[in-house]
Each structure stands twice: as structure tokens, then as C-alpha cells.
Amino acid sequence: MCIMIEIAVVGGGPAGSHCAYCLAASSLYPVIFDHTHPREKPCGGLVTPFAQRLFPFLKKLPIKHGEKSKLHLISPSGRQARLSTRKSKIRTFSRLKFDQFLVNMAVDKGAELIKEKVIALGRRKDFWEVETTRQSYRVKILIGADGVNSLVRRSTIGPLSKMDKGVCCGYLVRGLEKEDITIRFLAHRKGYMWVIPRDDHTSLGIGACEASRSYGLRRELDMFIEQQYPHAEIISKWTALIPNVKNSKTLKIPLAGHNWILIGDAAGHVSPTSGEGIMYALLDGELAAQAVVENNPETYNEFWKEAYGTSLFIDVKLRKVLYTRPGLELYCKFLKLQNTLHF
Ligand SMILES: Cc1cc2nc3c(=O)[nH]c(=O)nc-3n(C[C@H](O)[C@H](O)[C@H](O)COP(=O)(O)OP(=O)(O)OC[C@H]3O[C@@H](n4cnc5c(N)ncnc54)[C@H](O)[C@@H]3O)c2cc1C
């Protein structure tokens, strides 16, 4: 038997959950497919003051989190810059608690969470055939919020290319919660290492912007931990991919059709310079819901470009200049002259 669904969101991360919440708030009650909750997504979990200004609910989330007002940046040659936030603090979240809270918010508003993995999609003229590990569904509007290796993306515009992904690995550790947030830029990886303390543990990782620069990634991180944080107690270990768009043509591919939309990591919407993606996931969730509420999913293509398209395009260009040894040295020199983070 085939179950009929008006709107299905594949993926209950920040993009999918927030989209489902916004739809339900407009009296359109979607289904979210996600088999993974509760789970800790490999992530820094850092939410900037700028993102908090855009989404004030992030300042009031009733879940335990870290709050930091200092950011410590280190250039490839060891030049150090210590910056303070001006008004609000940087918040750092465990993705287990953060994502669980967002998905619960959507369910409380009226969305339904079906804990099934989508394993196949068939595109018909006016609907989608969605097959999960348990059942088949017939869906009128499909929203792909299923992350960097999105099945919805593969079934519509094709996968994000290998070139447009970055490779990361790291640990959740205990014992560094009092440290400042630290970013150590690595010119040879075109990436960075991070230490992001949360409330009762810390995300510690290393990311290379390209797979071709990921050889020996974990070894380099282990040496860094041994030298800088020998007392860190490792709780878990992970490896992950992150969208890291290097080709601005990728951002020109339409991300919505008459009955489908791609959002968040599935859309490739992560800052290629900083790796920030939670803010874009929330923005996309809201914009996709708006397009569906207006009964015109395709308008999402204009909505996201109007909202932040230019800054993402600039970010793609900036990445090329920034992630060179002189670029990173100059950037850290510039930041050293500032005392304040202006975002
Ligand atoms: C190592 C690392 C560090 C990061 N640090 C930060 C940071 O500090 N700050 C920041 O802003 N961003 C950070 N990011 C980026 C951020 O994690 C993502 O941009 C953000 O999670 C995107 O949200 P999303 O909902 O689009 O995707 P995701 O959070 O990836 O959620 C996708 C969901 O879809 C589900 N799913 C996938 N396939 C299927 C399927 N077939 N059927 C059903 N469900 C499916 C998954 O289980 C998952 O729950 C980091 C990313 C990585 C990899």
C-alpha cells in the first residue's frame, strides 16, 4: 500500500527541522523522514552572534550550551590574534541537544517525524515515489534537507562534486571546557584546526578544504593534541564531509523545481571560508517554507539568492585568496590589529 503525503522533508537536521517548523506554523503539516535521532552530528556547533541576531530564538534555547566571548586565531607561522565579541557571546551547542530540540519544536507545532531512512526516490510528473526502509509513500512536494551526500540532490540535479566537499576528522573530548575557542589556520591543508568548548565537552577537529589535501589529517591533529592539550580525555572519534564549494558555477545550479527544493548542506550552503552552515540551514528552512506556502517552490531559487547569494558568491572567491600562506598571514595580522569581533 502506498501512503499519500502532501509535503515531505527528507532529513531532520537544522535545515529540515526548521523548515518543517515554519511550514507547520503556517498550517501546512509536513512529514520529516529521519532515522537517526537522537544523534550527535560531527560538528563544531558554533553559532555566531550574527546568526543569533538573525534567529533570536537561538539566544533563548532552553538547552545547556557553552558561551564564549573570546576567539583565539593562530596563523600558519604562529602569529596570534585574540578577539572579543562586542555585545553578544558566541554560543556553542552539542548537536545532539540542538538538533533534538529543533526537531521537537517542529513536532510540537504539528509536523510528523517518521524515523525511517529514505532509500530510493522516483520522480513522476506530479509526485514523488519515496521508498523508505519500511514503506512506500507518494509525495506531492519533496524537500531535500538530507545533508552533504543528499539523496534528493542526487535524484534531482546530481551530487555535489568531490571538489566541492571538504574532509574533516576529530574528537569530542573532556577537560578543555575553560579554554577559549581556538582556530589554527593551516595553509598546506587550505583548512584549519579548531577547539570549540561546549558546556560539558569540547569539539576538537581538523578540516582540509579538499580531499587531495587530507592525507595524514588525523595524525596532524593527534600531534597537535599531544603538544597543546595532553590532558584532553577523548570521548568519541569521527570523520565527516562538509560542503565546501570552490566553483562559483555550482551556486548557479537551480536548487528547486515545481515540486522539490534543496536546502542546507544538501544545497551546498556552507561558508567556504569559515565552514559556518547552521545559519544557512536555518535561513534555507525558512525560505523554502515561504516558497511552499506561496504555492511556488521554484521561487526558492530567487529567495536564497536575494537573502545571501552575493555574500556566498564572494565567499567562494575569497576562499581562493585567503587559503594561501600570505593570505592567512595577512588576515591574522589584520585581525591582530582589531580587538573586537564585529559580527
Ligand atoms: C566537522 C564539521 C564541523 C562543523 N562546524 C560547524 C560550526 O561550528 N558551526 C556551523 O554553523 N556549522 C558547522 N558545520 C556545518 C553544519 O554542521 C551544517 O552546515 C549543518 O548541520 C547543516 O544542516 P542540515 O540540516 O542541512 O544537514 P545535517 O545537519 O547534515 O542534517 C541532515 C539530516 O538528514 C538525515 N538524512 C540523511 N540522509 C537521509 C535519508 N536518506 N533519509 C532520512 N534522513 C536522512 C541525517 O541523518 C541528518 O539528520 C560543521 C560541519 C562539519 C562536518
Side-chain angles (χ1 to χ4, degrees):
M1 199 186 71
C2 203
I3 299 167
M4 304 289 294
I5 293 174
E6 282 291 316
I7 308 166
V9 181
V10 185
S17 295
H18 192 56
C19 182
Y21 171 85
C22 295
L23 285 166
S26 299
S27 305
L28 295 175
Y29 300 103
V31 161
I32 305 169
F33 288 108
D34 198 319
H35 54 296
T36 60
H37 287 291
R39 53 104 181 95
E40 178 77 61
K41 179 184 171 173
C43 183
L46 186 153
V47 175
T48 61
F50 184 71
Q52 293 168 44
R53 269 207 299 282
L54 282 182
F55 296 98
F57 77 89
L58 293 172
K59 290 187 184 174
K60 297 183 205 135
L61 289 188
I63 50 178
K64 282 196 169 175
H65 60 274
E67 284 191 352
K68 296 282 174 184
S69 51
K70 296 246 166 64
L71 185 62
H72 181 193
L73 300 172
I74 308 170
S75 78
S77 73
R79 189 192 304 270
Q80 313 218 1
R82 289 179 194 271
L83 301 154
S84 300
T85 55
R86 212 167 22 155
K87 286 185 194 145
S88 19
K89 296 192 171 176
I90 299 170
R91 284 179 158 71
T92 59
F93 293 94
S94 141
R95 291 294 300 271
L96 182 100
K97 294 178 193 162
F98 185 77
D99 289 25
Q100 190 71 56
F101 189 84
L102 292 188
V103 83
N104 287 345
M105 259 173 70
V107 170
D108 290 348
K109 263 287 174 220
E112 184 186 356
L113 173 65
I114 298 184
K115 291 193 172 188
E116 292 170 18
K117 180 176 182 174
V118 174
I119 51 171
L121 292 169
R123 201 169 169 182
R124 305 289 171 260
K125 192 163 169 267
D126 288 319
F127 63 90
W128 288 86
E129 271 170 9
V130 174
E131 197 187 325
T132 71
T133 33
R134 289 231 194 100
Q135 310 226 26
S136 293
Y137 300 83
R138 197 167 270 198
V139 170
K140 278 203 182 154
I141 295 174
L142 188 68
I143 299 174
D146 46 344
V148 62
N149 284 326
S150 169
L151 176 63
V152 182
R153 184 177 181 122
R154 280 182 275 140
S155 311
T156 48
I157 55 174
L160 259 183
S161 71
K162 206 171 166 188
M163 183 195 153
D164 286 329
K165 291 179 197 166
V167 182
C168 312
C169 68
Y171 301 98
L172 290 186
V173 304
R174 282 207 189 90
L176 309 184
E177 291 65 69
K178 294 213 164 69
E179 301 284 336
D180 290 336
I181 296 170
T182 302
I183 307 288
R184 187 187 181 119
F185 292 105
L186 307 168
H188 61 292
R189 304 265 184 213
K190 294 193 178 290
Y192 59 81
M193 288 195 232
W194 69 87
V195 180
I196 302 184
R198 299 169 176 175
D199 65 319
D200 60 359
H201 64 274
T202 296
S203 167
L204 209 155
I206 183 168
C209 294
E210 293 152 30
S212 59
R213 292 179 187 263
S214 64
Y215 180 76
L217 209 55
R218 191 171 291 278
R219 197 160 6 100
E220 186 168 347
L221 179 65
D222 287 344
M223 277 165 59
F224 174 69
I225 299 175
E226 231 171 85
Q227 284 165 10
Q228 302 293 324
Y229 307 107
H231 55 291
E233 177 203 340
I234 291 174
I235 319 170
S236 62
K237 175 178 175 177
W238 50 262
T239 305
L241 291 174
I242 184 168
N244 191 275
V245 173
K246 295 167 192 82
N247 185 349
S248 48
K249 281 189 188 149
T250 305
L251 295 178
K252 292 186 179 146
I253 302 170
L255 295 170
H258 78 283
N259 63 355
W260 59 274
I261 303 180
L262 296 171
I263 60 178
D265 278 14
H269 290 167
V270 169
S271 159
T273 53
S274 69
E276 180 177 16
I278 295 171
M279 179 184 77
Y280 295 108
L282 296 174
L283 275 166
D284 282 358
E286 207 163 285
L287 298 171
Q290 190 188 333
V292 173
V293 169
E294 290 176 9
N295 207 13
N296 192 355
E298 264 168 294
T299 51
Y300 168 76
N301 285 317
E302 285 123 54
F303 288 170
W304 79 263
K305 280 187 189 151
E306 269 167 34
Y308 62 84
T310 309
S311 69
L312 209 57
F313 276 101
I314 292 173
D315 233 10
V316 172
K317 305 271 180 218
L318 188 66
R319 198 200 71 83
K320 288 195 183 122
V321 190
L322 183 67
Y323 280 96
T324 57
R325 190 168 253 275
L328 288 170
E329 291 301 334
L330 198 67
Y331 182 57
C332 289
K333 192 172 175 182
F334 167 75
L335 289 175
K336 205 176 166 179
L337 298 174
Q338 319 266 312
N339 289 321
T340 314
L341 274 175
H342 293 285
F343 56 69

